[in-house]
Amino acid sequence: DAREHYTNLGYRVHSGLQFGCELVLYADHPQYVHSDFCVLVLPSDGRVDWRRIQCLTRSMPDYKKTLILAEVSVIEEDTEEGDKDGEAKADDGSGGEAILSSD
């Protein structure tokens, strides 16, 4: 899932409910730093609520945060190294992708 993906990247991940998104990312303990990023996890069906994205985009400068649109999808393919059924792929728009286990 997206929470595990950003935790593995070294962020402290907390609920983003107070900012209207799913996750908030901290580079260190929240006692010492402010969060820099809000993460909106896009639905797996590909439908995007553009009004919500527009609202978040307009409010991020007031919060001094960057909005990340994260897409999490399930990969179902067989490879020579093994079966990848049940793994998820996250793309945060930075050009890098990560394979996440779906525990």
Side-chain angles (χ1 to χ4, degrees):
D1 71 339
R3 179 178 291 274
E4 183 178 339
H5 172 69
Y6 289 108
T7 300
N8 290 338
L9 290 175
Y11 290 101
R12 291 182 181 250
V13 182
H14 292 264
S15 170
L17 184 62
Q18 66 190 23
F19 299 108
C21 56
E22 280 76 28
L23 306 172
V24 176
L25 307 179
Y26 292 86
D28 198 358
H29 194 279
Q31 180 178 354
Y32 304 119
V33 297
H34 292 283
S35 62
D36 291 323
F37 303 101
C38 287
V39 179
L40 176 65
V41 178
L42 300 175
S44 60
D45 64 4
R47 298 184 68 181
V48 177
D49 181 359
W50 289 107
R51 286 177 287 185
R52 182 175 182 198
I53 291 176
Q54 183 179 29
C55 180
L56 287 171
T57 302
R58 288 182 177 180
S59 58
M60 288 300 119
D62 294 336
Y63 300 145
K64 295 184 173 77
K65 302 196 184 329
T66 301
L67 179 63
I68 296 174
L69 301 178
E71 180 180 13
V72 178
S73 57
V74 176
I75 298 174
E76 295 183 20
E77 62 183 47
D78 293 330
T79 64
E80 291 182 20
E81 293 93 19
D83 187 11
K84 288 191 174 188
D85 286 346
E87 292 183 343
K89 174 180 164 184
D91 181 5
D92 61 9
S94 64
E97 295 178 348
I99 303 295
L100 311 172
S101 79
S102 59
D103 294 334

